[in-house]
Amino acid sequence: MKEVNVAIIGFGTVGSGTAQVMYEQAERIRKRSGININLRKVADIAVDSLPAHLSNVELTRDAGELFNDQEIDIIVELIGGTTLAKTFILQAMEHGKHVVTANKALLSEHGREIFAAAAANEVEIGFEASVGGGIPLIKSLKEGLVANKIMSIMGIMNGTANYILTRMTDHGVNFTEVLKDAQEKGFAEADPTYDIEGIDTAHKLVILMTMAYGMNIGLDDVAIEGISRIQPVDIDFAGDFGYRIKLLAISRNYGDHVEARVHPTMVPESHMLAGINGAYNGVHFTGDMVEDVLLYGLGAGKMPTGSAVVADIVDIARNINYGCLNRVPCLSYLPEHISPRQITPMAELRCPYYFRISTLDKPGVLSTISGILGRHGISLESVIQKGREQQGTVPIIMRTYEAREDAVQDALAEINALPTTTAETVMIRILADNEE
Ligand code: HSE
């Protein structure tokens, strides 16, 4: 039986999960692939020993040893970060090793260089685990949806943010309290910035857009807003209006230009994504032939992410076995068909909006605010004023009909500058009921 040998750099949560999946599923994988896929070496500077079931695996502190080992076919990078990980991946490729990684930050920020190195060295790179943990999103785009023009991508791609918003919605607790609780339970990182500020979601959107549309795109192309401004009062009003607040990645394909945005969104309760709660992820694609596809599952965690890493290892091992490397282009489109594309300017976005304006409770304030909105062509669907808070401040809640983003930004700048406005207005975009 054909033998394919693997080494892992980084034996943290995902690294140890990958080793465990390989161990537990070895027989099943042999039956499905006809290949013995062996974990030969693990490199990690902070680990002194491997678990008992990995007694035949060599542990080293020097990743360099793996690149020069003639027996190793596939190197799995699971250290994260964008500096050392990049060096290791490029070195592995220069030594003719195939690479598997879960590193979304690296791919979305330095993908072009890494994919070019893979092509130049005639090796494969697999990155299923970089988006949506255990959910086979990448393979679905590359293979299952190969006969489709992807018309839109919309998804909840960060479990930490979704967990926080779900807890805020279900228990009425504020953002800071839920975040602290999530950190104590180990659901949120000690530094949760990437998760709560939408950057991790944007990294994932960059990868999916590249594959869905065959386009060159970078993190700078994505308009990003996080969830830290959201308060229980916004969640309550969203509920009253029939929405749930979700951190969504959204991209619609208009042919000559495509949207790329990540922001909190009021999602109608009837929408498929509104029911995705807790640490779960869900990504909705529309294809011109298949129409709607929703993929749902655990976007993080040791075993789900390990499962995705191992799926890439098995794919590469099969290609080695059958002598058909790069049978499926790693970015779905052939490199010569990946081109730049225009990003739809955020200013041109049209959708309904929610505003929470904090203002002094004085005669004439509401008419001043609605006058500003009217001058910018923004039409109100409903207005709610709640009782006074401290020092005479009241929240005014407004829901608009569809409006243009640039008009909204200009109007809110004027409203925020009023002497009666006591805090920056919270604005949340609303997904229209009829939107895919
Ligand atoms: N930190 C991510 C999340 C998982 O909370 O979903 C890895 O992408």
Side-chain angles (χ1 to χ4, degrees):
M1 193 178 276
K2 174 81 182 173
E3 305 278 327
V4 168
N5 295 322
V6 178
I8 296 176
I9 309 177
F11 202 70
T13 306
V14 180
S16 58
T18 298
Q20 200 171 329
V21 174
M22 288 180 77
Y23 174 77
E24 285 183 17
Q25 302 295 337
E27 184 55 25
R28 189 179 316 281
I29 289 169
R30 244 190 309 280
K31 286 180 183 165
R32 286 176 165 168
S33 66
I35 307 168
N36 276 324
I37 303 178
N38 313 304
L39 178 59
R40 282 291 176 88
K41 290 187 176 176
V42 167
D44 194 304
I45 47 167
V47 170
D48 294 326
S49 64
L50 295 175
H53 65 269
L54 301 179
S55 57
N56 58 347
V57 179
E58 195 182 316
L59 176 65
T60 171
R61 286 173 180 268
D62 176 15
E65 253 185 51
L66 314 182
F67 310 135
N68 291 312
D69 185 332
Q70 297 303 315
E71 290 204 322
I72 302 291
D73 303 290
I74 303 170
I75 291 190
V76 183
E77 178 278 310
L78 296 171
I79 59 169
T82 54
T83 48
L84 202 51
K86 180 176 160 196
T87 308
F88 284 158
I89 287 178
L90 294 175
Q91 279 182 355
M93 288 175 170
E94 280 158 19
H95 285 81
K97 310 297 185 197
H98 306 288
V99 168
V100 175
T101 178
N103 197 329
K104 69 223 109 195
L106 181 61
L107 295 179
S108 65
E109 290 170 31
H110 302 283
R112 241 179 270 183
E113 190 181 345
I114 290 180
F115 295 121
N121 292 290
E122 296 179 356
V123 295
E124 291 216 14
I125 174 163
F127 47 94
E128 181 65 68
S130 65
V131 187
I135 314 170
L137 290 162
I138 303 287
K139 201 171 184 79
S140 296
L141 275 178
K142 282 199 295 195
E143 302 191 44
L145 297 174
V146 69
N148 284 263
K149 175 181 179 184
I150 303 299
M151 307 305 296
S152 71
I153 305 166
M154 198 180 295
I156 295 166
M157 303 184 194
N158 186 276
T160 306
N162 203 39
Y163 172 83
I164 291 173
L165 289 173
T166 303
R167 293 280 300 180
M168 288 175 74
T169 306
D170 293 348
H171 301 276
V173 267
N174 70 38
F175 175 83
T176 319
E177 212 176 305
V178 186
L179 176 60
K180 191 164 162 272
D181 174 60
Q183 283 171 320
E184 278 165 12
K185 291 191 170 124
F187 296 150
E189 304 277 349
D191 178 1
T193 312
Y194 273 32
D195 291 328
I196 63 178
E197 293 306 343
I199 300 159
D200 176 78
T201 301
H203 283 145
K204 293 164 180 169
L205 183 62
V206 166
I207 295 172
L208 293 184
M209 286 178 67
T210 305
M211 310 206 45
Y213 307 141
M215 71 181 285
N216 279 324
I217 171 177
L219 194 61
D220 293 350
D221 293 316
V222 185
I224 309 172
E225 276 173 35
I227 60 167
S228 50
R229 301 166 302 124
I230 309 288
Q231 291 190 3
V233 62
D234 302 311
I235 290 182
D236 288 348
F237 279 114
D240 291 348
F241 294 138
Y243 299 106
R244 283 179 82 99
I245 300 178
K246 296 288 181 191
L247 179 64
L248 288 196
I250 302 175
S251 174
R252 289 196 188 80
N253 181 0
Y254 296 104
D256 54 347
H257 59 102
V258 295
E259 287 179 349
R261 51 193 172 104
V262 171
H263 52 72
T265 309
M266 289 197 179
V267 180
E269 275 164 2
S270 57
H271 193 281
M272 284 182 272
L273 294 174
I276 291 173
N277 291 316
Y280 278 85
N281 285 196
V283 180
H284 177 242
F285 297 116
T286 45
D288 59 348
M289 300 292 117
V290 72
E291 299 188 9
D292 295 308
V293 173
L294 177 68
L295 290 132
Y296 167 82
L298 286 169
K302 178 173 169 167
M303 303 309 272
T305 312
S307 154
V309 172
V310 175
D312 278 340
I313 293 172
V314 173
D315 265 353
I316 296 174
R318 282 173 167 151
N319 290 350
I320 294 171
N321 193 22
Y322 288 101
C324 56
L325 285 172
N326 287 309
R327 185 183 70 86
V328 180
C330 64
L331 284 175
S332 183
Y333 282 80
L334 293 165
E336 62 270 31
H337 295 296
I338 295 181
S339 51
R341 196 101 64 87
Q342 187 87 22
I343 301 291
T344 318
M346 267 308 266
E348 291 175 15
L349 174 68
R350 296 188 71 92
C351 66
Y353 290 81
Y354 161 97
F355 306 141
R356 175 166 49 83
I357 302 167
S358 298
T359 180
L360 294 178
D361 193 4
K362 285 189 171 171
V365 169
L366 192 54
S367 72
T368 305
I369 291 171
S370 53
I372 292 171
L373 294 171
R375 268 193 286 107
H376 286 278
I378 299 163
S379 180
L380 291 170
E381 189 181 348
S382 60
V383 178
I384 300 170
Q385 183 183 317
K386 283 278 177 170
R388 281 187 189 176
E389 291 171 345
Q390 72 279 33
Q391 291 151 3
T393 293
V394 284
I396 298 177
I397 309 299
M398 296 180 159
R399 194 159 51 129
T400 76
Y401 288 108
E402 192 177 278
R404 235 180 93 113
E405 176 86 13
D406 49 3
V408 166
Q409 295 292 356
D410 290 347
L412 291 186
E414 276 186 47
I415 291 167
N416 287 336
L418 290 174
T420 45
T421 302
T422 55
E424 196 177 337
T425 299
V426 171
M427 175 271 274
I428 303 175
R429 298 173 188 88
I430 299 176
L431 197 65
D433 292 322
N434 57 357
E435 280 183 275
E436 286 297 332

